[in-house]
């Protein structure tokens, strides 16, 4: 079972992100757009791991307090196009503590540096390799009241993400 720990969004953020995706599509940006129901911020990618209860136990050991999250700008990692978040020491500190607890419990996870972003398009491209046109990045903010343990499964129409536990 492929697992990851994430913050899921309130409707206002999802609407801002999907409206932005629709605008990019109208401008001719192509790629594998993240489905509305799959938009999230990954805090730790665990991957194939058969003991979700152990992960939930580790998550519960880390004190979580509500965190304000604000969208801020766009960018890309190669052909992956993303929306960024405003500088957020509280979120970064929580992720550091969460990952430390995962390590202490012997739970494997991707150790790449945490770079808070929301993946909007994989394999993105625009006319003749030109930069993706962005006149106005999406805006919005919310208060995250918890984190979710998610399971990722491949369905016939793409990835399906299911919440299997939550810590508030």
């Amino acid at each position: 079972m492929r697992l990851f720990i994430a913050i899921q969004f309130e409707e206002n953020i999802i609407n801002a992100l999907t409206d932005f995706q629709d605008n990019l599509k109208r401008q001719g940006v192509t790629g594998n757009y993240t489905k509305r129901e799959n938009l999230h911020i990954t805090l730790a990618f665990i991957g194939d791991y058969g003991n979700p209860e152990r992960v939930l136990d580790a998550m519960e050991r880390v004190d979580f307090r509500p965190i304000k999250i604000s969208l801020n700008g766009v960018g890309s990692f190669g052909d992956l196009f993303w929306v960024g978040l405003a500088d957020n020491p509280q979120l970064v500190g929580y992720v550091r503590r969460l990952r430390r607890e995962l390590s202490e419990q012997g739970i494997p996870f991707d150790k790449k540096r945490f770079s808070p972003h929301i993946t909007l398009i994989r394999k993105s491209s625009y006319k003749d390799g030109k930069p993706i046109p962005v006149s106005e990045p999406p805006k919005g903010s919310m208060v995250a009241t918890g984190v979710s343990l998610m399971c990722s499964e491949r369905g016939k129409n793409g990835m399906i993400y299911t919440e299997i536990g939550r810590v508030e």
Side-chain angles (χ1 to χ4, degrees), residues 96-129:
R96 186 179 316 113
R97 292 188 312 276
L98 173 67
R99 290 175 170 207
R100 186 178 319 121
E101 184 64 30
L102 292 172
S103 273
E104 288 174 5
Q105 297 304 317
I107 298 168
F109 63 94
D110 185 341
K111 301 230 181 350
K112 274 188 265 186
R113 185 177 69 84
F114 177 60
S115 178
H117 70 281
I118 304 149
T119 299
L120 285 188
I121 313 169
R122 285 183 171 79
K123 298 182 182 175
S124 64
S125 67
Y126 187 60
K127 302 172 186 171
D128 299 322

